[in-house]
Amino acid sequence: MKKLLFVLLILLAFPALAETPEEKGLSIAREVDARDMGWGDFQASMSMLLKNRHGEESLRQMRVKGLEVENDGDKSLIVFDQPRDVKGTALLTFSHKVKDDDQWLYLPALKRVKRIASRNKSGPFMGSEFAFEDLASQEVEKYTYKFIRDDELDGRPVFVMERYPVSKYSGYTRQLAWIDKERYIPLKIEFYDRKNALLKVLVFRGYQKYLDKYWRADEMFMDNKQTGKSTLLTWKDYKFRTGLKDSDFTRNSLKRIR
């Protein structure tokens, strides 16, 4: 009895001793998720600036809608408004906690809704450096985790942790993430390809706080370290709790988008 009491006192006095790197990584991921729950739905505008290795740029304008789903992943809809050759193209995503996400791409030129197969989710979205899987909500259950170290990034204390995709169709073996200790938001993520080589680096810039609780980055910059290409997503005009419903996120609604 005395021995058991001694062990319990040690664990209470030094909780870190009772937590493995995997458990601490999972604990951080759960806290990130918990702090972002309850936003309901949102609408926003987004621009996508594509740059090739020669510095040539092309710009696209989009509308984005999102719906929080209780006990499952979120739903999202991205609609292209400009340029004219991609106007009306839309991506509908149903994220899931455990099973693979469902995604459909509407191509107005063909008047056709194309299902994105799970094995193709590592492919680029509309020529950008973001893969289809990068655009789905990042549910805790989609990864296993490992805490790596405490560190600083741009003067802010951060947790550095790795996460490993559960899906066999992911294009990544692992992701290395820098998580702000105070706000529990990602500041930077490195993506490693199936050969475990550094593929891309995503940097989040200009976080703004909405509804006194929810942090959203003004900019998300994805830099492909293997091709020299990059994609900059710039968000603006965030509006939360606008009354969106499940009926705004259906396959049939894709064909009615204007």
Side-chain angles (χ1 to χ4, degrees), residues 162-181:
E162 283 189 333
R163 58 183 190 179
Y164 312 93
V166 172
S167 173
K168 64 181 180 181
Y169 297 116
S170 174
Y172 313 118
T173 54
R174 62 188 174 102
Q175 299 175 14
L176 191 62
W178 282 253
I179 306 297
D180 186 299
K181 282 189 174 182

Side-chain angles (χ1 to χ4, degrees), residues 39-43 66-68 239-245:
W39 45 267
D41 67 77
F42 79 88
Q43 299 186 51
L67 181 68
E68 195 173 24
K239 297 175 182 176
F240 287 85
R241 298 172 184 169
T242 61
L244 294 174
K245 303 175 182 176

Side-chain angles (χ1 to χ4, degrees), residues 14-25:
F14 303 99
L17 294 177
E19 196 172 41
T20 66
E22 289 77 13
E23 290 169 340
K24 185 169 183 176

